[in-house]
Amino acid sequence: MDRLTDIEAYWSRQAHSFDDEPDHGLGEPRVRAAWADLLGQCIPSPAARIADLGCGTGSLSVLLAEAGAEVVGVDLSREMIRHAHQKAQAAGLTIEFRVGDAGRPDLPAEYFDVVLSRHLLWTLPTPVAALAHWVRLLTRKGRLVLIEGQWFDRSASPDNALPWDGGVASAQLIEVLEPMFSHIDYYPLSSDRALWGKEVSGERYAVVAHTAMRQRSEDGPQS
């Protein structure tokens, strides 16, 4: 609990300036359009039920709700959630935002068409356990959409660093996901300057993990 308290305090301190990054605030039309296009490729339907975990100030939640999705945003930081509520209100949207542990959110099982997480895994004390929990939130044809990357070499981090501090390589993340899902799509994003609003270094990517094919095989042949 102390670790989560420390993490919450850190991100609440960041909340006031979080949207200064182009890909956080989505204030530039070109950046906003790029994220709308990426999410459109990853989300099965504009009207999907989506859990936005580690939603921060709610930029992606608002973008998805504007397109017609039913969104629940969860973030550990009370200040992030306060900003998210303000952003949704300014857009004329009603979005459910909750303060809570995004690694183990108190959400209904087998309810969501999509569980979405952007740049969250590196902040979690137990990222692999979080992934296993998120799988249980998905419907039988659900998708786990993870937008991740590597920002620095965590081998130089202190011994008490978080397990994936500095980010996680796509190969490592896919290896963890493969036993849980039937099919995984990989999207390299490092060179897409429009998404980030600037040149970026290190690996940036999205993975979309699908449950449907595994469930079909468990159910037996389909007519």
Side-chain angles (χ1 to χ4, degrees), residues 179-201:
M180 306 181 197
F181 291 91
S182 60
H183 174 68
I184 298 171
D185 297 318
Y186 166 76
Y187 300 84
L189 304 176
S190 301
S191 62
D192 193 340
R193 182 170 179 165
L195 280 172
W196 317 112
K198 59 186 178 182
E199 297 287 345
V200 295
S201 59

Side-chain angles (χ1 to χ4, degrees), residues 19-176:
D19 282 352
D20 292 348
E21 287 293 323
D23 58 309
H24 293 172
L26 306 187
E28 299 176 20
R30 181 170 177 238
V31 175
R32 187 178 183 83
W35 280 99
D37 181 64
L38 175 62
L39 293 176
Q41 296 177 58
C42 297
I43 305 301
S45 164
R49 293 180 294 195
I50 301 173
D52 183 6
L53 303 183
C55 63
T57 58
S59 293
L60 296 189
S61 293
V62 167
L63 198 62
L64 292 162
E66 285 177 337
E70 174 192 323
V71 185
V72 178
V74 180
D75 201 281
L76 189 63
S77 164
R78 294 182 182 276
E79 277 299 295
M80 290 286 190
I81 290 295
R82 185 175 68 82
H83 283 275
H85 277 297
Q86 292 175 345
K87 191 173 292 184
Q89 185 177 23
L93 297 167
T94 300
I95 301 174
E96 182 180 357
F97 289 110
R98 302 183 183 185
V99 176
D101 180 3
R104 194 175 179 84
D106 184 16
L107 295 173
E110 299 183 11
Y111 179 81
F112 293 96
D113 303 305
V114 175
V115 170
L116 168 68
S117 170
R118 179 175 69 163
H119 300 171
L120 174 66
L121 288 170
W122 75 274
T123 73
L124 299 179
T126 55
V128 176
L131 291 167
H133 182 78
W134 296 350
V135 173
R136 295 194 285 272
L137 304 179
L138 291 167
T139 65
R140 290 174 62 80
K141 295 183 180 181
R143 299 182 185 185
L144 179 61
V145 178
L146 303 173
I147 301 166
E148 288 294 337
Q150 284 191 296
W151 296 274
F152 58 84
D153 182 2
R154 66 178 178 270
S155 65
S157 298
D159 291 340
N160 64 347
L162 296 162
W164 286 350
D165 195 15
V168 57
S170 58
Q172 182 180 0
L173 180 56
I174 289 171
E175 183 179 7
V176 172

